[in-house]
Amino acid sequence: MLTRAQKEELVKNLREKFQESQAVFVTTFKGLTANESNELRRKIREAGGEYRVVKNTLLRIASADTPAAPIQDFIEGPTGIALAYQDPVALAKVLLEFSEEHPALVIRGGALQGKPVEAKGVEALAKLPPREILLAQLLGLLQAPPARLVQLLANVVRSFLYVLKAIEEKKKAEGQ
């Protein structure tokens, strides 16, 4: 049993974590074995996150007036939260893959940068390409217009040179 001071410290600690995190995902874990739970925690840590099991009352108090406030709609029964400190997409992928392998883990929803996300939204987030690929695609889009402009200008110069070459050949033919 936690003392009042311990509960206050836990709430304070959670509030700080909610401020730091990019996203918070709410899960139900009823039926997970200790080994499966440890495996889930390890995978989440590798993805730059953290998995915690917190009493619902403390979770509601800690999430109030933070970017994680939308998770309050998903807090019910045994609740575990996954906090994404780096890449929410990577953490969503870990949760989705783990829940497919272990049906005891159910994704209820979450909060992504202060906005609520339903379970289907978490699945959609997990299916996004990795951050590096999205950045590469964006870079490709940004580079395309200048590349087309350079190509267009090169075609103008090339056409002008063809015209000059044709005039030169015509003058040589007339001069013979």
Side-chain angles (χ1 to χ4, degrees), residues 7-67:
K7 289 178 183 177
E8 287 173 358
E9 184 63 30
L10 178 66
V11 166
K12 180 181 169 233
N13 189 355
L14 273 173
R15 289 180 79 74
E16 290 170 4
K17 289 178 185 283
F18 290 147
Q19 295 293 345
E20 293 172 26
S21 66
Q22 301 280 321
V24 180
F25 301 111
V26 180
T27 66
T28 299
F29 56 89
K30 196 173 181 181
L32 278 184
T33 66
N35 286 339
E36 291 170 340
S37 181
N38 290 337
E39 180 186 349
L40 174 63
R41 289 175 198 274
R42 182 184 52 77
K43 287 182 175 185
I44 288 174
R45 258 192 317 276
E46 289 170 0
E50 176 184 0
Y51 189 76
R52 307 262 324 242
V53 175
V54 184
K55 290 187 175 280
N56 292 349
T57 307
L58 297 177
L59 194 53
R60 281 191 182 91
I61 294 168
S63 64
D65 301 323
T66 69

Side-chain angles (χ1 to χ4, degrees), residues 1 19 38 86 99 108 112 134 143:
M1 191 77 173
Q19 295 293 345
N38 290 337
Q86 295 169 5
S99 69
R108 289 195 212 143
L112 178 63
L134 287 174
Q143 285 179 335

Side-chain angles (χ1 to χ4, degrees), residues 103-120:
L105 181 77
V106 177
I107 301 168
R108 289 195 212 143
L112 178 63
Q113 296 177 340
K115 305 215 177 355
V117 180
E118 298 288 326
K120 293 213 183 287

Side-chain angles (χ1 to χ4, degrees), residues 61-113:
I61 294 168
S63 64
D65 301 323
T66 69
I71 68 169
Q72 299 212 7
D73 296 338
F74 308 112
I75 299 172
E76 181 184 318
T79 303
I81 55 169
L83 298 134
Y85 297 116
Q86 295 169 5
D87 185 4
V89 174
L91 186 60
K93 282 181 193 302
V94 167
L95 288 173
L96 184 63
E97 288 170 8
F98 197 87
S99 69
E100 288 171 352
E101 295 169 13
H102 305 90
L105 181 77
V106 177
I107 301 168
R108 289 195 212 143
L112 178 63
Q113 296 177 340

